[in-house]
Amino acid sequence: MSPQEETARRRYIAMNAVRIGGIAVLLIGLMIARKVIGGPWWLGAFLAVAGLLAFFFLPTLMVRRWKRSEGEGGRSRGE
């Protein structure tokens, strides 16, 4: 497997892990808000919204960061 394919594979896995994590946070938030598990309603609502935002927007932000770092010659911002 070429280095480009390996990088693409790792990024694909990372994006899907973020999406699955977002869905998990959403479901936990909904369970708290519906009193299936204990916790205040506001915490459940906050987690549900955070899960939705993570599912829809974090993968896009990850891609933007990766494209920006590729434009800098493959170096991260900290280097």
Coordinates of all heavy atoms in Angstrom, one line a residue:
M1 N 0.9 -1.2 0.0 CA 0.0 0.0 0.0 C 0.9 1.2 0.0 O 1.8 1.3 0.8 CB -0.9 0.0 1.2 CG -1.9 1.0 1.3 SD -3.1 1.0 2.7 CE -4.0 -0.4 2.3
S2 N 0.6 2.2 -0.9 CA 1.4 3.4 -1.0 C 1.2 4.3 0.2 O 0.1 4.2 0.9 CB 1.1 4.1 -2.3 OG -0.2 4.7 -2.2
P3 N 2.1 5.2 0.5 CA 1.9 6.2 1.6 C 0.6 7.0 1.5 O 0.0 7.3 2.5 CB 3.1 7.0 1.6 CG 4.2 6.2 0.9 CD 3.4 5.4 -0.1
Q4 N 0.3 7.4 0.2 CA -0.9 8.2 0.0 C -2.2 7.4 0.4 O -3.1 7.9 1.0 CB -1.0 8.7 -1.4 CG 0.0 9.7 -1.8 CD 1.3 9.1 -2.2 OE1 1.4 7.9 -2.4 NE2 2.3 9.9 -2.4
E5 N -2.2 6.1 0.0 CA -3.3 5.2 0.3 C -3.4 5.0 1.8 O -4.5 5.0 2.3 CB -3.2 3.9 -0.4 CG -3.4 4.0 -1.9 CD -3.1 2.7 -2.6 OE1 -2.3 1.8 -2.1 OE2 -3.6 2.5 -3.7
E6 N -2.3 4.8 2.4 CA -2.3 4.6 3.9 C -2.9 5.9 4.6 O -3.7 5.8 5.5 CB -0.9 4.3 4.4 CG -0.9 4.0 5.9 CD -1.7 2.8 6.3 OE1 -1.8 1.8 5.5 OE2 -2.2 2.8 7.4
T7 N -2.4 7.0 4.2 CA -2.9 8.3 4.8 C -4.4 8.4 4.5 O -5.2 8.8 5.4 CB -2.2 9.5 4.1 OG1 -0.8 9.4 4.4 CG2 -2.7 10.8 4.7
A8 N -4.9 8.1 3.3 CA -6.3 8.2 3.0 C -7.1 7.2 3.8 O -8.2 7.6 4.3 CB -6.5 8.0 1.5
R9 N -6.6 6.1 4.0 CA -7.3 5.0 4.8 C -7.4 5.5 6.3 O -8.5 5.4 6.9 CB -6.5 3.7 4.8 CG -7.1 2.6 5.5 CD -6.2 1.3 5.3 NE -6.6 0.3 6.2 CZ -6.3 0.1 7.5 NH1 -5.4 1.0 8.0 NH2 -6.7 -0.9 8.2
R10 N -6.3 6.0 6.9 CA -6.4 6.5 8.2 C -7.3 7.6 8.4 O -8.1 7.7 9.4 CB -5.0 6.9 8.7 CG -4.1 5.7 9.1 CD -2.8 6.2 9.6 NE -2.0 6.7 8.5 CZ -1.2 7.8 8.5 NH1 -1.0 8.4 9.7 NH2 -0.6 8.2 7.5
R11 N -7.4 8.5 7.4 CA -8.3 9.7 7.5 C -9.7 9.2 7.4 O -10.6 9.8 8.1 CB -7.9 10.7 6.4 CG -6.6 11.4 6.7 CD -6.3 12.4 5.7 NE -5.0 13.1 6.0 CZ -4.5 14.0 5.2 NH1 -5.0 14.3 4.1 NH2 -3.4 14.6 5.7
Y12 N -10.0 8.3 6.5 CA -11.3 7.8 6.4 C -11.8 7.1 7.7 O -12.9 7.3 8.1 CB -11.3 6.7 5.2 CG -12.7 6.1 5.0 CD1 -13.7 6.8 4.3 CD2 -12.9 4.8 5.4 CE1 -14.9 6.2 4.1 CE2 -14.1 4.2 5.2 CZ -15.1 4.9 4.5 OH -16.4 4.3 4.3
I13 N -10.9 6.3 8.3 CA -11.3 5.7 9.6 C -11.5 6.8 10.6 O -12.5 6.7 11.4 CB -10.2 4.7 10.0 CG1 -10.2 3.5 9.0 CG2 -10.4 4.2 11.4 CD1 -9.0 2.6 9.2
A14 N -10.7 7.8 10.7 CA -10.8 8.9 11.7 C -12.2 9.6 11.5 O -12.9 9.9 12.5 CB -9.7 9.8 11.6
M15 N -12.5 9.9 10.2 CA -13.8 10.6 10.0 C -15.0 9.8 10.4 O -15.9 10.3 11.0 CB -13.9 11.0 8.5 CG -13.0 12.1 8.1 SD -13.0 12.5 6.3 CE -14.8 12.6 6.0
N16 N -14.9 8.5 10.1 CA -16.0 7.6 10.5 C -16.1 7.4 12.0 O -17.2 7.3 12.6 CB -16.0 6.3 9.8 CG -16.5 6.5 8.4 OD1 -17.5 7.0 8.1 ND2 -15.7 6.0 7.4
A17 N -15.0 7.4 12.7 CA -14.9 7.3 14.1 C -15.6 8.5 14.8 O -16.3 8.4 15.8 CB -13.5 7.1 14.7
V18 N -15.3 9.7 14.2 CA -15.9 10.9 14.7 C -17.4 10.9 14.5 O -18.2 11.3 15.4 CB -15.3 12.2 14.0 CG1 -16.1 13.4 14.2 CG2 -13.8 12.4 14.5
R19 N -17.9 10.4 13.3 CA -19.3 10.3 13.1 C -20.0 9.4 14.1 O -21.0 9.7 14.6 CB -19.5 9.9 11.7 CG -19.3 11.0 10.7 CD -19.7 10.5 9.3 NE -19.4 11.6 8.3 CZ -18.7 11.5 7.3 NH1 -18.1 10.4 7.0 NH2 -18.5 12.6 6.5
I20 N -19.4 8.2 14.3 CA -19.9 7.2 15.2 C -20.0 7.8 16.6 O -20.9 7.6 17.4 CB -19.2 5.9 15.1 CG1 -19.4 5.2 13.8 CG2 -19.6 5.0 16.3 CD1 -18.5 4.1 13.5
G21 N -18.9 8.5 17.0 CA -18.9 9.1 18.3 C -20.0 10.2 18.5 O -20.6 10.3 19.5
G22 N -20.2 11.0 17.4 CA -21.3 12.0 17.4 C -22.6 11.3 17.6 O -23.4 11.8 18.4
I23 N -22.9 10.2 16.9 CA -24.1 9.5 17.1 C -24.3 9.0 18.5 O -25.4 9.0 19.1 CB -24.3 8.4 16.1 CG1 -24.4 9.0 14.7 CG2 -25.5 7.5 16.4 CD1 -25.7 9.8 14.5
A24 N -23.2 8.5 19.1 CA -23.2 7.9 20.4 C -23.6 9.0 21.4 O -24.4 8.8 22.3 CB -21.9 7.3 20.8
V25 N -22.9 10.2 21.3 CA -23.2 11.3 22.2 C -24.7 11.8 22.0 O -25.3 12.1 23.0 CB -22.2 12.5 21.9 CG1 -22.6 13.7 22.7 CG2 -20.8 12.1 22.3
L26 N -25.1 11.8 20.8 CA -26.5 12.2 20.5 C -27.5 11.2 21.2 O -28.4 11.7 21.9 CB -26.8 12.2 19.0 CG -28.3 12.2 18.6 CD1 -28.8 13.6 18.9 CD2 -28.4 11.9 17.1
L27 N -27.2 9.9 21.1 CA -28.1 8.9 21.7 C -28.1 9.0 23.3 O -29.1 8.9 23.9 CB -27.8 7.5 21.3 CG -28.1 7.2 19.8 CD1 -27.6 5.9 19.4 CD2 -29.6 7.3 19.5
I28 N -26.9 9.2 23.8 CA -26.8 9.4 25.3 C -27.6 10.6 25.7 O -28.3 10.6 26.7 CB -25.4 9.4 25.7 CG1 -24.7 8.0 25.5 CG2 -25.2 9.9 27.2 CD1 -23.2 8.0 25.7
G29 N -27.4 11.7 25.0 CA -28.2 12.9 25.3 C -29.7 12.7 25.2 O -30.4 13.2 26.1
L30 N -30.1 12.0 24.2 CA -31.6 11.8 24.1 C -32.1 10.9 25.2 O -33.2 11.1 25.8 CB -31.9 11.1 22.7 CG -31.8 12.0 21.5 CD1 -32.0 11.2 20.3 CD2 -32.7 13.2 21.6
M31 N -31.3 9.9 25.6 CA -31.7 9.1 26.7 C -31.7 9.8 28.0 O -32.6 9.6 28.9 CB -30.7 7.9 26.9 CG -30.9 6.9 25.7 SD -30.0 5.3 25.9 CE -28.5 5.7 26.5
I32 N -30.8 10.8 28.2 CA -30.9 11.6 29.5 C -32.1 12.5 29.4 O -32.8 12.7 30.4 CB -29.6 12.4 29.6 CG1 -28.4 11.5 29.9 CG2 -29.7 13.4 30.7 CD1 -27.0 12.1 29.9
A33 N -32.3 13.1 28.3 CA -33.4 14.1 28.1 C -34.8 13.4 28.3 O -35.7 14.0 28.8 CB -33.4 14.8 26.8
R34 N -34.9 12.1 27.9 CA -36.1 11.4 28.0 C -36.2 10.6 29.3 O -37.1 9.8 29.5 CB -36.2 10.4 26.8 CG -36.2 11.0 25.5 CD -37.5 11.6 25.1 NE -38.5 10.6 25.0 CZ -39.7 10.8 24.8 NH1 -40.1 12.0 24.5 NH2 -40.6 9.8 24.8
K35 N -35.3 10.8 30.2 CA -35.2 10.2 31.6 C -35.1 8.7 31.5 O -35.5 8.0 32.4 CB -36.5 10.5 32.4 CG -36.7 12.0 32.5 CD -35.7 12.6 33.4 CE -36.0 14.1 33.7 NZ -34.9 14.8 34.2
V36 N -34.5 8.1 30.5 CA -34.2 6.7 30.4 C -33.0 6.4 31.3 O -33.0 5.4 32.0 CB -33.8 6.3 29.0 CG1 -33.4 4.8 28.9 CG2 -35.1 6.5 28.1
I37 N -32.0 7.3 31.4 CA -30.9 7.3 32.3 C -30.9 8.6 33.1 O -31.4 9.6 32.6 CB -29.5 7.0 31.6 CG1 -29.2 8.0 30.6 CG2 -29.5 5.6 31.0 CD1 -27.9 7.8 29.9
G38 N -30.3 8.5 34.3 CA -30.4 9.7 35.1 C -29.5 10.9 34.7 O -28.5 10.7 34.0
G39 N -30.0 12.0 35.0 CA -29.3 13.3 34.7 C -30.3 14.4 34.4 O -31.4 14.1 34.1
P40 N -29.8 15.6 34.6 CA -30.7 16.7 34.3 C -31.1 16.9 32.8 O -30.3 16.5 32.0 CB -29.9 17.9 34.8 CG -28.5 17.5 34.8 CD -28.5 16.0 35.0
W41 N -32.2 17.4 32.6 CA -32.7 17.6 31.2 C -31.8 18.4 30.4 O -31.5 18.1 29.2 CB -34.1 18.2 31.2 CG -34.7 18.4 29.8 CD1 -35.3 17.4 29.1 CD2 -34.5 19.5 29.0 NE1 -35.6 17.9 27.9 CE2 -35.1 19.2 27.8 CE3 -33.9 20.7 29.1 CZ2 -35.2 20.1 26.7 CZ3 -33.9 21.6 28.1 CH2 -34.6 21.3 26.9
W42 N -31.3 19.5 31.0 CA -30.4 20.4 30.2 C -29.1 19.7 29.7 O -28.6 20.0 28.6 CB -30.1 21.7 31.0 CG -29.3 21.4 32.3 CD1 -29.9 21.2 33.5 CD2 -27.9 21.2 32.4 NE1 -28.9 21.0 34.4 CE2 -27.7 21.0 33.8 CE3 -26.9 21.3 31.5 CZ2 -26.4 20.8 34.3 CZ3 -25.6 21.1 32.0 CH2 -25.4 20.9 33.4
L43 N -28.6 18.8 30.5 CA -27.4 18.0 30.1 C -27.7 17.2 28.9 O -27.0 17.1 27.9 CB -26.9 17.2 31.3 CG -25.7 16.3 30.9 CD1 -24.5 17.2 30.5 CD2 -25.3 15.4 32.1
G44 N -28.9 16.5 28.9 CA -29.3 15.7 27.8 C -29.5 16.5 26.5 O -29.0 16.1 25.4
A45 N -30.1 17.6 26.7 CA -30.3 18.5 25.5 C -29.0 19.0 24.9 O -28.7 19.0 23.7 CB -31.2 19.7 25.9
F46 N -28.1 19.4 25.8 CA -26.7 19.8 25.4 C -26.0 18.7 24.7 O -25.4 19.0 23.6 CB -25.9 20.3 26.6 CG -24.5 20.7 26.3 CD1 -24.3 21.9 25.7 CD2 -23.5 19.9 26.6 CE1 -23.0 22.3 25.4 CE2 -22.2 20.2 26.2 CZ -21.9 21.4 25.7
L47 N -26.0 17.5 25.2 CA -25.3 16.4 24.6 C -25.9 16.1 23.3 O -25.2 15.7 22.3 CB -25.3 15.2 25.5 CG -24.4 15.3 26.7 CD1 -24.5 14.1 27.6 CD2 -22.9 15.5 26.3
A48 N -27.2 16.1 23.2 CA -27.9 15.8 21.9 C -27.5 16.8 20.8 O -27.1 16.4 19.7 CB -29.4 15.8 22.1
V49 N -27.4 18.1 21.1 CA -27.0 19.1 20.2 C -25.6 19.0 19.8 O -25.2 19.1 18.7 CB -27.3 20.5 20.7 CG1 -26.7 21.6 19.9 CG2 -28.9 20.7 20.8
A50 N -24.7 18.7 20.8 CA -23.3 18.5 20.6 C -23.0 17.3 19.7 O -22.2 17.4 18.8 CB -22.6 18.4 21.9
G51 N -23.8 16.3 19.9 CA -23.6 15.1 19.1 C -24.0 15.3 17.6 O -23.3 14.9 16.7
L52 N -25.1 16.1 17.4 CA -25.5 16.5 16.1 C -24.5 17.3 15.4 O -24.1 17.1 14.2 CB -26.8 17.2 16.1 CG -28.1 16.3 16.1 CD1 -29.3 17.2 16.3 CD2 -28.2 15.5 14.9
L53 N -24.0 18.3 16.1 CA -22.9 19.2 15.5 C -21.7 18.4 15.2 O -21.0 18.6 14.2 CB -22.6 20.3 16.5 CG -23.7 21.3 16.7 CD1 -23.4 22.4 17.8 CD2 -24.1 22.0 15.4
A54 N -21.3 17.5 16.1 CA -20.1 16.7 15.8 C -20.3 15.8 14.6 O -19.4 15.7 13.8 CB -19.8 15.8 17.1
F55 N -21.5 15.2 14.5 CA -21.7 14.3 13.3 C -21.7 15.1 12.0 O -21.1 14.6 11.0 CB -23.1 13.7 13.5 CG -23.4 12.8 12.3 CD1 -23.0 11.5 12.3 CD2 -24.2 13.2 11.3 CE1 -23.3 10.6 11.2 CE2 -24.6 12.4 10.2 CZ -24.1 11.1 10.2
F56 N -22.2 16.3 12.0 CA -22.3 17.0 10.7 C -21.1 17.9 10.4 O -20.8 18.0 9.2 CB -23.6 17.8 10.7 CG -24.8 17.0 10.5 CD1 -25.8 16.9 11.5 CD2 -25.1 16.4 9.3 CE1 -26.9 16.1 11.3 CE2 -26.2 15.6 9.1 CZ -27.1 15.5 10.1
F57 N -20.5 18.5 11.4 CA -19.5 19.5 11.1 C -18.1 19.1 11.4 O -17.2 19.6 10.8 CB -19.8 20.8 11.9 CG -21.1 21.4 11.4 CD1 -22.2 21.4 12.2 CD2 -21.3 21.9 10.1 CE1 -23.4 22.0 11.8 CE2 -22.5 22.4 9.7 CZ -23.6 22.5 10.5
L58 N -17.8 18.2 12.3 CA -16.4 17.9 12.6 C -15.7 17.2 11.5 O -14.5 17.5 11.2 CB -16.3 17.0 13.9 CG -16.3 17.8 15.2 CD1 -16.2 16.8 16.4 CD2 -15.2 18.8 15.3
P59 N -16.3 16.3 10.7 CA -15.6 15.7 9.6 C -15.2 16.7 8.6 O -14.1 16.7 8.0 CB -16.6 14.7 9.0 CG -17.4 14.3 10.2 CD -17.6 15.5 11.0
T60 N -16.1 17.7 8.3 CA -15.8 18.8 7.4 C -14.6 19.6 7.9 O -13.7 20.0 7.1 CB -17.0 19.7 7.2 OG1 -18.1 18.9 6.8 CG2 -16.7 20.8 6.2
L61 N -14.6 19.9 9.2 CA -13.4 20.7 9.7 C -12.1 19.9 9.7 O -11.1 20.4 9.4 CB -13.7 21.1 11.2 CG -14.9 22.1 11.4 CD1 -15.2 22.3 12.8 CD2 -14.6 23.4 10.7
M62 N -12.2 18.6 9.9 CA -11.1 17.7 9.8 C -10.5 17.8 8.3 O -9.3 17.9 8.1 CB -11.4 16.3 10.1 CG -11.7 16.1 11.6 SD -12.5 14.5 12.0 CE -11.1 13.4 11.6
V63 N -11.4 17.7 7.3 CA -10.9 17.7 5.9 C -10.2 19.1 5.6 O -9.2 19.1 5.0 CB -12.1 17.5 5.0 CG1 -11.7 17.8 3.5 CG2 -12.6 16.0 5.1
R64 N -10.8 20.2 6.1 CA -10.2 21.5 5.9 C -8.8 21.6 6.5 O -7.9 22.1 5.9 CB -11.1 22.6 6.5 CG -12.3 22.9 5.7 CD -13.1 24.0 6.3 NE -14.3 24.3 5.6 CZ -15.2 25.1 6.1 NH1 -15.0 25.8 7.1 NH2 -16.4 25.2 5.4
R65 N -8.7 21.0 7.7 CA -7.4 21.1 8.3 C -6.4 20.2 7.6 O -5.2 20.6 7.4 CB -7.5 20.6 9.8 CG -6.2 20.7 10.5 CD -6.3 20.4 11.9 NE -5.0 20.4 12.5 CZ -4.7 21.1 13.6 NH1 -5.5 21.9 14.1 NH2 -3.5 21.1 14.0
W66 N -6.8 19.1 7.1 CA -5.9 18.2 6.4 C -5.5 18.9 5.0 O -4.3 18.8 4.7 CB -6.5 16.9 6.1 CG -6.7 16.0 7.3 CD1 -5.9 16.0 8.4 CD2 -7.7 15.1 7.5 NE1 -6.4 15.1 9.3 CE2 -7.5 14.5 8.8 CE3 -8.8 14.6 6.8 CZ2 -8.3 13.5 9.3 CZ3 -9.6 13.6 7.3 CH2 -9.4 13.1 8.6
K67 N -6.4 19.5 4.4 CA -6.1 20.2 3.1 C -5.1 21.4 3.4 O -4.2 21.6 2.6 CB -7.3 20.7 2.4 CG -8.1 19.6 1.8 CD -9.3 20.1 1.0 CE -10.0 18.9 0.3 NZ -11.2 19.4 -0.4
R68 N -5.3 22.1 4.5 CA -4.5 23.2 4.8 C -3.1 22.7 5.1 O -2.1 23.3 4.7 CB -5.0 24.0 6.0 CG -4.3 25.2 6.3 CD -4.9 26.0 7.5 NE -6.2 25.7 7.8 CZ -6.7 25.4 9.0 NH1 -5.8 25.4 10.0 NH2 -7.9 25.2 9.2
S69 N -3.0 21.6 5.8 CA -1.6 21.1 6.2 C -0.9 20.5 4.9 O 0.3 20.6 4.8 CB -1.7 20.0 7.3 OG -2.3 18.9 6.8
E70 N -1.7 20.0 4.0 CA -1.1 19.5 2.7 C -0.6 20.7 1.9 O 0.5 20.6 1.2 CB -2.1 18.7 1.9 CG -2.3 17.3 2.5 CD -3.4 16.6 1.7 OE1 -4.0 17.2 0.8 OE2 -3.7 15.5 2.1
G71 N -1.2 21.8 2.0 CA -0.8 23.0 1.3 C 0.5 23.6 1.8 O 1.2 24.3 1.1
E72 N 0.8 23.3 3.1 CA 2.0 23.8 3.7 C 3.2 22.8 3.5 O 4.1 22.8 4.2 CB 1.8 24.0 5.2 CG 0.8 25.1 5.5 CD 0.5 25.1 7.0 OE1 1.0 24.3 7.8 OE2 -0.4 26.0 7.3
G73 N 3.0 21.9 2.5 CA 4.1 20.9 2.3 C 4.0 19.7 3.2 O 4.9 19.0 3.4
G74 N 2.8 19.4 3.7 CA 2.6 18.3 4.6 C 3.0 18.5 6.0 O 2.9 17.6 6.8
R75 N 3.4 19.7 6.4 CA 3.8 19.9 7.8 C 2.6 20.4 8.5 O 1.7 21.1 8.0 CB 4.9 21.0 7.8 CG 6.2 20.6 7.2 CD 7.2 21.7 7.4 NE 6.7 23.0 7.1 CZ 7.0 23.7 6.0 NH1 7.8 23.2 5.1 NH2 6.5 24.9 5.8
S76 N 2.5 20.1 9.8 CA 1.4 20.6 10.6 C 1.8 22.0 11.1 O 2.9 22.5 10.9 CB 1.2 19.7 11.9 OG 2.3 19.7 12.7
R77 N 0.8 22.7 11.6 CA 1.0 24.1 12.0 C 2.0 24.3 13.0 O 2.7 25.3 13.1 CB -0.3 24.7 12.4 CG -1.3 24.8 11.3 CD -2.6 25.3 11.8 NE -2.5 26.8 11.7 CZ -3.4 27.6 12.2 NH1 -4.5 27.1 12.8 NH2 -3.3 28.9 12.0
G78 N 2.2 23.3 13.9 CA 3.1 23.4 15.0 C 4.6 23.3 14.7 O 5.4 23.5 15.5
E79 N 4.8 22.8 13.5 CA 6.2 22.5 13.1 C 6.9 23.7 12.5 O 6.4 24.5 11.9 CB 6.3 21.4 12.1 CG 5.9 20.1 12.8 CD 6.0 18.9 11.8 OE1 6.6 19.1 10.7 OE2 5.4 17.9 12.2

